[in-house]
Amino acid sequence: EEPATKDSWSGFFSVIINFGRGIPAYSSHDTATHSTRTEVQYSPQNPVEAFYGTLGVADSRGEQDIYGRVRYFGRHAEITLNHDTQTTGENRSSLRWGTAIVYADGQFGISRPVQDSFVIVDSTGSLRDQGGLGVQPQGGRFAAQEDWLVPAVMPELTAYYNIPVTIEPRRPEADFDPQQGDILLKPTYRSGAHVRIGQPSSANITATLVWADGKPADLQSGTLTAEDGTTTEFITNRKGLIYLHGLPKGSYHGEMSNRPEASFTIIVSTDKNVNVDLGTIRLPITE
């Protein structure tokens, strides 16, 4: 005969209290294992460049374990510090630091550890000069942003999951085309991408060319040569006026097509797309 068994009952009870401001408290008791756990957590409203915290105590059949965890979730690193203290006298601490160096399309970046795929986003031209850009604004902060050292990196893209990305200048007054700020990323398996926003610094230039005797150099063609060898052709109107659209900043050497000895130099020093009038430029010879 089998010995008679006695029915037994057990229960599990839990209570969760939300104190607001990202601070919930949790307490539970299991009658089957005679264990109790109480824990308080902290989660900031802005998830990036922020600290998370956990503090709790667990009691199991009279043995207690007091534990805590602090986690820093940054743009360039993820750091976690854990500590456990038990009534048996055992203490354990651990520190974990995670950083990733990423590379795509000739551009390096530094970010948190990459989970699957990533994208590097940087700016150029006047947008970069005026503070750069931020990616995915969240609660007054950006999930990723440019700084003085590295471009913005989003390291937690999921492969084959299309994600809309919003890009904004870090400074509202920066020269920025809003139509460039919304893109759709289509990451593949363990992939990296590079997105560059902005235009090279340039200006719309006007100048009046006159001969050495002051007469306008009317209906003359010529060429401007940049420091890198790039050439731009121009033609003066009947008043000697030339107009050049979107000329990158820098120094240019100018020559008249029919009179090569009639050379001149202009300097474009603008840092954004503006209209610049260089005034009257006197050529060293007469017509």
Side-chain angles (χ1 to χ4, degrees):
E1 295 181 1
E2 295 182 359
T5 59
K6 187 176 181 179
D7 294 337
S8 62
W9 294 84
S10 63
F12 181 84
F13 307 93
S14 67
V15 177
I16 299 176
I17 302 176
N18 191 346
F19 294 101
R21 296 182 179 273
I23 305 177
Y26 167 82
S27 183
S28 66
H29 178 72
D30 190 341
T31 61
T33 59
H34 301 284
S35 61
T36 302
R37 180 182 294 270
T38 301
E39 186 175 287
V40 178
Q41 300 178 351
Y42 170 71
S43 299
Q45 294 181 346
N46 296 315
V48 182
E49 294 291 313
F51 288 89
Y52 296 73
T54 300
L55 180 63
V57 57
D59 185 297
S60 180
R61 300 183 185 276
E63 295 184 0
Q64 292 184 337
D65 178 18
I66 302 174
Y67 59 92
R69 181 176 73 172
V70 177
R71 178 190 177 207
Y72 170 70
F73 193 75
R75 297 189 180 94
H76 304 318
E78 185 177 351
I79 306 170
T80 303
L81 174 63
N82 291 288
H83 180 76
D84 284 271
T85 299
Q86 299 179 353
T87 54
T88 59
E90 182 179 357
N91 294 289
R92 291 175 297 182
S93 298
S94 65
L95 176 65
R96 178 183 176 185
W97 182 307
T99 297
I101 299 177
V102 296
Y103 176 82
D105 191 30
Q107 181 66 56
F108 284 96
I110 301 176
S111 76
R112 300 184 301 275
V114 177
Q115 305 298 325
D116 185 346
S117 300
F118 68 90
V119 62
I120 301 173
V121 184
D122 64 357
S123 61
T124 187
S126 59
L127 178 59
R128 176 62 180 173
D129 296 338
Q130 296 173 6
L133 51 78
V135 183
Q136 297 296 65
Q138 299 176 359
R141 295 185 183 180
F142 294 104
Q145 70 179 34
E146 285 185 294
D147 56 32
W148 65 273
L149 180 63
V150 290
V153 180
M154 293 183 62
E156 295 158 343
L157 304 183
T158 301
Y160 307 111
Y161 179 78
N162 296 348
I163 175 173
V165 174
T166 300
I167 302 172
E168 297 179 355
R170 293 182 60 190
R171 297 178 184 174
E173 68 275 11
D175 182 33
F176 179 73
D177 183 357
Q179 294 183 354
Q180 295 182 325
D182 294 325
I183 61 177
L184 181 66
L185 294 178
K186 300 179 180 180
T188 55
Y189 180 68
R190 295 190 178 278
S191 62
H194 177 213
V195 176
R196 176 160 291 167
I197 302 295
Q199 300 293 333
S201 300
S202 62
N204 301 323
I205 302 297
T206 55
T208 301
L209 301 182
V210 299
W211 302 109
D213 57 5
K215 295 181 179 179
D218 59 329
L219 303 179
Q220 300 289 320
S221 64
T223 303
L224 290 179
T225 304
E227 294 174 325
D228 62 0
T230 304
T231 59
T232 302
E233 296 181 351
F234 65 87
I235 297 178
T236 63
N237 65 8
R238 293 187 179 277
K239 295 181 179 181
L241 184 69
I242 62 173
Y243 176 78
L244 301 165
H245 174 72
L247 198 65
K249 66 178 180 179
S251 177
Y252 294 84
H253 175 76
E255 289 185 355
M256 309 302 289
S257 299
N258 295 329
R259 305 290 295 273
E261 67 276 18
S263 62
F264 59 95
T265 300
I266 65 172
I267 297 177
V268 180
S269 58
T270 180
D271 60 358
K272 62 171 63 177
N273 289 288
V274 293
N275 297 320
V276 178
D277 186 1
L278 297 179
T280 300
I281 298 176
R282 189 176 296 270
L283 302 176
I285 63 173
T286 58
E287 184 177 8

